Amino acid sequence: MIPVHTHFKDQQSGLVDPFGRRIEYVRLSVTDRCNLRCFYCLPKGFRDFETPEHWLSFDEIERVISAFSELGVRRVRLTGGEPLVRKNLPDLISKLSSLPGIDDLSLSTNASLLREHALKLKEAGIDRINVSLDTLKADRFKSVTQGGNLLKVLAGLQAARKAGLNPVKINMVALKGINDDEFEDMVDYCMRNAFTLRFIETMPIGEAGRSGSEHYLDLHRVLERLGKSYDLIPGVMAGGGPAKYFQVKGTDFRIGFITPISQHFCETCNRVRMSVDGTLYLCLGQAHSIALRPLLRDGISDAQLKSVLTDAIRLKPARHEFDEKPGQLNRCMSQTGG
Ligand code: SF4
């Protein structure tokens, strides 16, 4: 447990880790539960979800994000599991969107519940969303998500557009032997709908993640392949993420590539993650973490909380070790959100 200190000087210079990286982005998992079971994320029959009494309340989450915002964090992404299964989520969004300093509030979702929620999310303060979608084939979708309904996701995406959520970014995990025959179809679908497409490499996070890594595909190969069908020029896109973007010449359409394995981006890492039970994870690919919930429930002051967060950033590791230690992480992706 990190002892509580009273170093206030650090707070002026924001959150800078031992490698000189400024931490300005928190990925906030508001639930570890999900209504889908993507095979590379949640193991079949997984039941070990966090118990509700351990979930941080919206007030506790607001306290932590407020402390982070006073330390220079300005981006927050709501994730899960599937964040839309958390009841009254727009109430939390309203709280966070009114915090001074937070100027980018976004959400990641599987979109299967989005048709019902899109407008409420927009009204509460979400501007842009990322949607996980690995296939446009209904039977394959059902298989990859172990039971999901693709039509609900496609309807959710149209509802997002109608509600004015923009941009809508599609995250497609590249899976060798599963969806690598439809990358061009996904490009065309996203181009037709003015969605931004990003391909993501699998990561050996947890048992399911390791089974997903059996379908690992180096995205440099995908870029080469797409370069034969589309005139791709290096492009840029706003956002705090690690994606490297290419634009299809003569269009506004962008394709992003997120390559944690073939070309990691740890040297420019700007983020930390907090799970639903208030555990602060310093790196997606490492176990370094501190438990904030006991401190919050023991009545820690705002000043002490800021010191704890400042001290915690000193623990942030340089990078993941997915190659060197593929078996080290036993938590599943839905516990921290991607
Ligand atoms: S693996 Fe860790 S250090 Fe690398 S980008 Fe992700 S969170 Fe940052």
Side-chain angles (χ1 to χ4, degrees):
M1 180 67 209
I2 300 175
V4 175
H5 295 289
T6 55
H7 310 293
F8 292 111
K9 69 176 177 1
D10 293 320
Q11 294 156 2
Q12 280 75 32
S13 58
L15 295 172
V16 179
D17 76 5
F19 308 95
R21 299 172 296 187
R22 181 170 298 284
I23 306 308
E24 48 138 32
Y25 181 10
V26 174
R27 295 177 66 97
L28 175 62
S29 172
V30 295
T31 180
D32 57 353
R33 297 167 190 235
C34 186
N35 57 341
L36 299 182
R37 286 288 180 280
C38 301
F39 76 92
Y40 52 78
C41 175
L42 269 174
K44 212 175 185 101
F46 183 84
R47 289 267 172 280
D48 189 19
F49 295 108
E50 196 53 72
T51 51
E53 62 271 18
H54 290 167
W55 297 355
L56 289 194
S57 67
F58 290 172
D59 291 342
E60 289 169 329
I61 292 173
E62 185 187 14
R63 274 199 73 198
V64 175
I65 301 299
S66 173
F68 266 124
S69 75
E70 288 174 25
L71 293 166
V73 163
R74 60 185 200 82
R75 293 177 193 280
V76 174
R77 174 172 291 278
L78 301 180
T79 68
E82 170 49 45
L84 299 183
V85 304
R86 177 100 187 232
K87 282 204 183 66
N88 307 318
L89 189 65
D91 298 348
L92 174 63
I93 294 169
S94 305
K95 283 174 184 288
L96 299 181
S97 61
S98 56
L99 284 176
I102 301 296
D103 56 25
D104 180 11
L105 186 59
S106 57
L107 178 129
S108 291
T109 174
N110 64 34
S112 60
L113 300 170
L114 199 48
R115 188 171 50 183
E116 300 80 10
H117 294 274
L119 200 50
K120 281 177 254 154
L121 294 174
K122 178 69 180 172
E123 288 164 354
I126 291 287
D127 297 322
R128 59 193 187 90
I129 60 170
N130 289 9
V131 169
S132 309
L133 181 60
D134 299 329
T135 174
L136 293 168
K137 298 178 188 300
D139 54 349
R140 186 176 286 170
F141 184 85
K142 195 169 181 181
S143 151
V144 168
T145 62
Q146 299 176 77
N149 178 337
L150 177 64
L151 294 178
K152 286 188 175 175
V153 172
L154 300 181
L157 283 164
Q158 295 312 317
R161 223 151 56 117
K162 209 154 154 251
L165 291 166
N166 185 32
V168 171
K169 297 180 182 175
I170 301 293
N171 288 349
M172 182 181 197
V173 176
L175 299 162
K176 189 173 58 193
I178 294 180
N179 63 4
D180 50 354
D181 60 349
E182 58 179 313
F183 293 158
E184 288 79 4
D185 297 345
M186 187 65 85
V187 169
D188 296 342
Y189 168 78
C190 290
M191 219 187 284
R192 275 198 313 278
N193 287 281
F195 299 147
T196 298
L197 174 59
R198 296 115 59 84
F199 291 99
I200 305 181
E201 289 173 347
T202 55
M203 289 174 269
I205 294 179
E207 180 201 327
R210 285 185 282 279
S211 73
S213 292
E214 287 157 23
H215 301 278
Y216 168 71
L217 202 47
D218 180 335
L219 290 185
H220 294 81
R221 302 292 81 70
V222 177
L223 174 57
E224 280 160 21
R225 176 174 136 186
L226 293 177
K228 295 191 181 100
S229 306
Y230 307 93
D231 191 352
L232 299 176
I233 50 174
V236 291
M237 183 153 202
K244 298 174 194 65
Y245 285 99
F246 290 77
Q247 195 156 342
V248 173
K249 203 169 181 182
T251 77
D252 282 340
F253 180 66
R254 291 181 184 85
I255 306 175
F257 297 85
I258 301 175
T259 56
I261 307 297
S262 64
Q263 188 181 348
H264 76 73
F265 30 80
C266 300
E267 61 284 345
T268 56
C269 184
N270 62 351
R271 70 211 44 210
V272 292
R273 291 166 174 83
M274 186 166 75
S275 61
V276 65
D277 68 345
T279 303
L280 183 67
Y281 290 97
L282 286 307
C283 170
L284 178 65
Q286 300 280 6
H288 303 58
S289 63
I290 66 158
L292 296 175
R293 189 182 74 247
L295 299 174
L296 292 166
R297 297 188 178 172
D298 285 352
I300 191 173
S301 71
D302 289 348
Q304 288 177 320
L305 179 56
K306 284 193 274 183
S307 295
V308 165
L309 298 176
T310 304
D311 289 339
I313 297 303
R314 293 205 185 95
L315 293 178
K316 189 170 169 60
R319 55 178 296 253
H320 68 66
E321 292 168 299
F322 290 141
D323 293 336
E324 302 86 341
K325 302 176 185 166
Q328 82 166 342
L329 280 184
N330 288 320
R331 61 173 191 259
C332 56
M333 188 71 97
S334 87
Q335 287 167 300
T336 51

